[in-house]
Amino acid sequence: MSDPTPSTRRGFLDGLHRFAFISSFVYAVFIALLATPFFQRHVLYQHAIRVPWGANFALPEKYGLAPGKTMNLKLVTTDNVTIGSWFVLSEPFYQEYRARSPVLPPQPAVDVIQAALRTYPTILYCHGVAGTRAAPSRMQHYSSFSSRLRANILVIDYRGFGDSEGIPSDVGLAEDAQTAWRWLMGQGAKPEDIMIIGHSLGTGVATSLATSLARENLKPRGVALLAPFSSLATLVETYSIGGVPILQPLQTFPIGRKLIKRLLRQEFNTLSVIQDINVPVLIAHSQDDMEIPYHHSRTLLDKLLDPHLPEAISLPASPDVLLTKEEYTAYLEAEKQRRAVRSGLVRKTELPTFGTIEEFDGTAGKVVYVETFWGKHNEVGLQEGVQDVIASTFRLGHQL
């Protein structure tokens, strides 16, 4: 076989140069678009992906819920945005209701909802990005939570999602969750009977709601964060689409990292406020989550544990700064003491076919971390093992 001719090699190199130029141009355009509020909003929330398309929210039975089990609601926020929501009766209450009324109305009346709130705990569910409250995986959560956890469920579609009005934003989504809470209170629910559960993006919303309630000295039953992120800025640094870390090239340079943080117009920073939650907290994450790595949950766990450990010695922020021998020895000793105290505080259970459960007594009650082998990003909350830990931690299901 003959070697390539010089002209062939030049043609190959020219093709590589063109490819590199076009790729760089497309990437630069993408970053420029990401800086615009409209494009960034759609990338972050993906609210235009309204799965199932053309959903009829007045007919939840079409998506798998039992006849007459769900009330389709329209809630109005303090900034006059109307958001869609569902209230799903707990399975035991629904069966009692069904036995009393063989022919059920299309949806439960207000007095039925109020009776359900008095009889069983209620989960205020904050879902993740994309889709609507009728998305298939979310329907599975409602069915499972209502039966296995024996709880009512109130789920909202944030502004801009589903049939809700408005444009999504971090402040707006927080207001939507507070509106749902106020509605529950208006129907006679007690704070201690309401469990807040957030998934993915919804963990930021759930944390915002929980800390807002803490400032008012209100205590819900507890907070569960399923597949959470520590902060949006940290998530964006490593976020991938189809396994491709789209912003990784910018991470190579300090100016690139600063640019990413400056470009972000939305702020969800669970890490900075999670210690302000004044009720028991459960965090669950699967090791095979390819969208939000489980180290985000471990970071949140460490933050909750940190006040109970000896003070840490921070390493220099710049790699150019060297520690003296005495400083390095002090650092190692401090870390050794922290590990020793941690091992005494944290109760760890390893289940070979499921994962690991860690728990300790935090400042505001029990803190539980569940790390499963399976569940990926969207199904960690559907793991029966996770639901059992939720039930035992927050006195749900047969733990009532």
Side-chain angles (χ1 to χ4, degrees):
M1 180 180 294
S2 59
D3 294 333
T5 63
S7 60
T8 302
R9 287 195 295 269
R10 282 196 301 273
F12 177 72
L13 291 174
D14 289 343
L16 285 178
H17 291 156
R18 283 195 297 272
F19 176 77
F21 175 78
I22 294 172
S23 300
S24 300
F25 177 77
V26 170
Y27 187 74
V29 170
F30 173 78
I31 296 300
L33 287 172
L34 194 59
T36 64
F38 176 84
F39 190 78
Q40 184 178 129
R41 192 163 53 240
H42 279 269
V43 170
L44 173 61
Y45 298 110
Q46 301 171 38
H47 53 289
I49 306 175
R50 303 194 173 190
V51 177
W53 301 103
N56 182 356
F57 297 104
L59 194 62
E61 293 81 359
K62 181 178 179 180
Y63 309 104
L65 292 172
K69 187 179 183 179
T70 305
M71 175 182 276
N72 185 43
L73 295 164
K74 295 290 186 180
L75 307 180
V76 181
T77 67
T78 56
D79 56 342
N80 203 32
V81 175
T82 301
I83 59 173
S85 64
W86 280 344
F87 185 93
V88 184
L89 297 174
S90 73
E91 182 63 16
F93 184 90
Y94 172 72
Q95 292 301 334
E96 295 167 7
Y97 169 55
R98 181 168 168 263
R100 293 193 305 269
S101 308
V103 180
L104 297 177
Q107 62 177 16
V110 172
D111 64 318
V112 174
I113 299 295
Q114 293 173 343
L117 288 169
R118 291 192 300 268
T119 310
Y120 288 92
T122 297
I123 292 171
L124 174 50
Y125 186 71
C126 304
H127 67 62
V129 301
T132 70
R133 63 186 184 276
S137 66
R138 290 169 189 159
M139 300 300 297
Q140 293 175 28
H141 280 80
Y142 315 150
S143 296
S144 188
F145 288 168
S146 71
S147 57
R148 194 172 182 87
L149 299 183
R150 299 165 63 87
N152 309 302
I153 299 101
L154 177 63
V155 56
I156 59 173
D157 266 329
Y158 315 118
R159 58 189 65 200
F161 286 73
D163 58 344
S164 298
E165 299 175 349
I167 298 173
S169 68
D170 50 355
V171 175
L173 268 61
E175 168 57 26
D176 297 342
Q178 290 171 15
T179 298
W181 174 272
R182 288 192 293 268
W183 184 85
L184 288 170
M185 293 295 100
Q187 301 305 313
K190 298 178 180 178
E192 62 268 24
D193 289 335
I194 300 176
M195 171 80 197
I196 302 172
I197 298 182
H199 169 252
S200 190
L201 169 70
T203 62
V205 180
T207 302
S208 175
L209 173 60
T211 53
S212 175
L213 295 175
R215 288 192 292 271
E216 300 176 34
N217 200 31
L218 295 174
K219 293 187 176 184
R221 199 180 197 92
V223 176
L225 306 177
L226 308 177
F229 52 91
S230 56
S231 71
L232 184 59
T234 303
L235 176 61
V236 165
E237 290 176 0
T238 57
Y239 193 73
S240 63
I241 297 179
V244 179
I246 54 176
L247 295 178
Q248 193 62 45
L250 290 179
Q251 304 299 318
T252 309
F253 311 100
I255 191 173
R257 293 191 290 271
K258 291 180 181 178
L259 177 62
I260 290 174
K261 293 180 180 179
R262 184 168 296 179
L263 289 178
L264 280 177
R265 298 173 182 270
Q266 310 290 326
E267 182 177 353
F268 289 101
N269 193 338
T270 300
L271 184 65
S272 68
V273 296
I274 194 169
Q275 289 182 346
D276 297 334
I277 296 177
N278 62 346
V279 292
V281 175
L282 179 142
I283 301 170
H285 220 131
S286 68
Q287 293 180 359
D288 62 351
D289 189 333
M290 300 300 291
E291 296 186 38
I292 302 178
Y294 67 92
H295 68 71
H296 282 266
S297 284
R298 287 213 156 270
T299 299
L300 294 174
L301 178 67
D302 290 343
K303 186 72 172 182
L304 289 169
L305 189 58
D306 196 62
H308 307 279
L309 302 179
E311 186 176 356
I313 296 178
S314 301
L315 292 173
S318 173
D320 298 329
V321 178
L322 299 178
L323 295 177
T324 65
K325 182 178 179 180
E326 291 76 15
E327 289 173 334
Y328 185 61
T329 300
Y331 168 77
L332 293 178
E333 182 60 28
E335 289 301 300
K336 181 180 178 181
Q337 291 179 8
R338 286 170 63 85
R339 286 193 297 270
V341 173
R342 178 178 180 134
S343 65
L345 287 174
V346 178
R347 303 177 290 277
K348 186 174 182 179
T349 303
E350 295 185 0
L351 303 175
T353 59
F354 173 70
T356 304
I357 302 171
E358 300 178 48
E359 60 180 276
F360 66 94
D361 298 319
T363 305
K366 185 182 291 187
V367 175
V368 181
Y369 174 59
V370 185
E371 186 177 295
T372 66
F373 297 138
W374 305 283
K376 296 186 172 62
H377 183 65
N378 290 322
E379 298 176 0
V380 65
L382 293 176
Q383 299 288 309
E384 290 187 349
V386 171
Q387 293 174 13
D388 286 346
V389 179
I390 292 175
S392 61
T393 302
F394 301 108
R395 296 173 289 108
L396 298 172
H398 294 288
Q399 304 293 327
L400 289 172

